[in-house]
Amino acid sequence: ALLKSKIMPRAPCQRSSVPNGSVQVGLETSKQVLGAEKDNQFSGSGWAAAAWQRRGSTWACARCDSSVGLQRDPADLDKSYCSACWASWEKPRSQGRKTATSGVSACARCGSPEGLQPDPADLETCCCPICWASRQKSHDRNCRSTVTAVTCSRCGSLDGLTQDPKYLDKCYCSDCWVAREKSQGSKSMRQIPSGLASASCARCGAKLADDGKCYCSACWSAWKQGTAATSTAGRSDCEVPLGDIQFSQSSISASFRDGQTLDATIDLLRDDACVIHQIPRIRVVRHQGKLVTMDNRRLYCFRMAFQDEKLVPVALFTDKASYGCAEFDSKLSTICGGHQVHIVGDKSCTKEVSLPAESDWFVRPRLRSIQLSIGAKLHIVGKSLLRVVGTQRQVEDALRKYNRDVLDKYKTCSVALLDRRVQGLIVGKKGANAGALKNRFPCTRLTFGEDDHGIPVAWISGLVDEVDHAQHDVSAMVTKFAVSEEQIVLPLHSGRFFCKALRNKLLILYSIDEESGTMRISGTAEQRCDARREVEELISRFSCKTLEVPGADAPRLQARLIGPKGSNIKQLVGDTTVQVEVAKSEGTVHILGFQDEVGAVYARVRAFLLDNTRIQCPPLTLLPDSYWFVAEALKYVKDKSRAHIFIEGQVVSIKGNREQVGVAEDMLMKLLYKDFHVRTFIVNSNFVKDLIGKGGSNVKTLSDGRNIWIDFPERPDVSSTTLCRISGQRADVEEVSSNIWSQLSRSIVIEIYMHEPEVGRTIYTRGANISSFKSGLQVEVWDRSMPWRVAGPASDVHTFIARLRVRHPQVHLGQQSESISFACPGCTRGFASDAEVLKHVASSSTGCEAAACVGGCGAVYTSCGACRKHEELCSKVQKCLACMQHFANPECVLKHVRSKVCEARACVGCNEVFSDADVAARHSEGCQPYLVKALKEDMAKHISELCAQLCSACIRGDQRGSDCQLCKKRLRKAQLEWHPDKNPFKRELATNVFRHVQALWEGSGVDDPTSSGRPERERAQQEEAERKRRRQAEQEEEILLRQEAERIKRNKEEERRRASEEEKRNRPQSAEGSFCAMQ
């Protein structure tokens, strides 16, 4: 009945780590309580004192049960030791690590395994260095606290304390001291019995005075004047955890003095935690290692509103003396150690809370400890509800303890098995693996089932720490044995490549989705890890490059790239592992493979696409009269280049890929500006008929077997002459032009004037006289109008005129004109020779737009642009490698380079031209002529410097240098300086200079060294020699031209003489006599 009416005492919670990871809560068991009640026969305060003693009271030494000079153990605040035991604990402090028993593995206070020191009072208990230091500090503090009291021993006041002269550990305030002196019969004041007048002092033993005081005068003065230190050091304002504070009373009322209920205060604190600072601080006394409150209702409100870890503001008293022993002892009425308090008039209630799924096995064994410590009844209804029965405060406290000590330590987790076969492996044969797991983690339960998606899972529930370890072990087993699928994302467009690259390499099942670019692998974790490592290595080496094909020409280019049965792609890929994918719908080409191979294949594919992309080159303008020539060769050019070529007017258009267009353009340029040639003559109109022949027979004869075209365009401004233009293959044009020139160059045209009456007589009937005059001559006479024109070979024309004058002396000769001359292509002016045409074109003062090739091949074009294109192909034209300017010969190129107007440079030794100075410098390092020339220049330079220091007689060789006092010392110094043995790196130069020095020493003399050592002078000499050569060549050419003119003149005179002689031989005697008489 007493157990049912009283609240069961609750021991303070001390948590320490245990090997299995659970939390051990120090609670008094029912056997201890019943044993204490039996010893004290359930008698009120005796039961409470017994219960307190059973908890480990600090009223006696825990080792020897002495009550003198007790000191509290900082490792276990429920234990105390006397001064002797404390000293014995302190002495072996330095040997603590050596005396510790081997069975202790953790600190008795904090559970740390490092630096353990044994407890001298209990050698089976050890403390870590931190707890050991706090224990020593607590010992020193407790020793000091026993010297002097800091509160009144009667009322607990802190003001005006006076020390008791006999009991130095007691003090009294001023009011209690006066009351002690005046009060008679007070239990706290000593009265002198009437029969003890000669009694001794209670303190020092001296004989007392007759005034009846209990102390001698000296001690009384010391007692009157000796005041203990009045200090407020016994109280301090601070914040402590709410769970560390205990109740001092066993019961409290349900409301405060002002009438406010505890429930209202609890609601205020729960709504706003800051209200705690508006409530007066609760008074807390440190008593026997515990914190005991003097304001139990406020502490109860705080406990109901906050968790135990909440820091609350308190007024902390160091001991009950600093607070007031009498008041403290009067309030200390708790019978359960201060862990619970009973509210007077509290009603019973019942609450039900839901349990976590499948957690009844974990909750049920832990409800007994909550029921014993709180007093409420807890039992499980079914498997999902927890019913709590008791007073409202008991129910709330029981639920708080249930949430803190049970629910917060419970955890449930699941591990996906991924494979149903793994369940059997986890359970093991006859449950061996599951049993081993249960032995390792006794507070856990392992069950199997399925989640919401139907995936098999293993459910692990139990204590938090054990569940985490068990989950780790089960996950490791699943990872090791489960066969599952894993997805790997592959690079874009790489499906086919990885299908081929991974063939016969992976030992697990895998599949590759080419459209989505993903790879699925199936196997155990180890197998999947190896496969993933292999795939990731391939991905790190993989490279993909994309080429875009032009939209309009994409289908043809893609088909061209693939080729018949993929032959072109195979040729482009070669021996590499690269794959070329043609996306016809996207108009792109993907090159897939390893990084070191993709680059080369990408370059080849790109070049192939560029070469096969259809382009159109800029229109090519034909040269005058070249249409027929290009048209004849067009079929050949098309067959060779396979390009689309068509001519519109004078413009040629070329379409095709880069290679086709390039080949066609090169062939057409060669046709137009290298093979095609035009030669233009100015022919006297009288000879055109003879030149053409009857029915064009002469022209056909000239064109037979030759690729030429002869045309006779009219000259509207001049009617007496006609242009003869010969175009076609260069060699054929030159041959036909030479034939026409040789045929017409010997013919002339002479005009004849006579009187009208003489015309008929000269012609006679039907031109009988003219026919007789022309007999045997190749002349043509135009007698339709005056003047007459006689055309033919010069000798025949002169013979005809001589015969005509014999009959008709009144004939007068008019203008004589050439039958043919060379025409300028630009201005169509006539010239006697090609040289004059070239000279005319080269002259800038003529205003003619024609241009001639600088290479001297004789080609003349109507415009500079056409001539420039010819010079690009002409083999006789020399080009500068830097600016690509055209020159007539290598000497002109070298002169241009020497002027340094461009970046080209020439080697000084061999005169070879290079594109820039760096290339020329690298060439000069190994050029033998340059090295020889440089050697000569250096030698001449050093010899000149030496000769500048010598006298003229030694230089000329008039005397030996060894005999000249002025030059002897200088020559000797030069011998030592230029000796070959002292110049191993320039031995050749030193040898040559030393030879000249020896010649000067022996008196042989040297030739002018200054002239041989200066490249400027040598260059000037070379230029002067070149000018002389050119002047001589011009003079020789002029002489040849003069000789040629004289030869022509002599030939003409010879022809005239022969014609006159032949005329004389053929003339009749009568006519000859009359002709002679007429002359």
Side-chain angles (χ1 to χ4, degrees), residues 1051-1066:
N1051 290 338
K1052 289 182 178 181
E1053 291 178 354
E1054 182 67 22
E1055 288 178 359
R1056 292 194 191 97
R1057 186 181 62 78
R1058 289 178 182 176
S1060 60
E1061 289 179 357
E1062 186 176 357
E1063 184 180 358
K1064 288 180 181 179
R1065 285 195 301 268
N1066 296 330

Side-chain angles (χ1 to χ4, degrees), residues 207-224:
K207 186 177 180 180
L208 296 176
D210 296 337
D211 53 5
K213 292 181 180 180
C214 296
Y215 301 96
C216 66
S217 58
C219 292
W220 184 258
S221 298
W223 178 76
K224 289 284 289 182

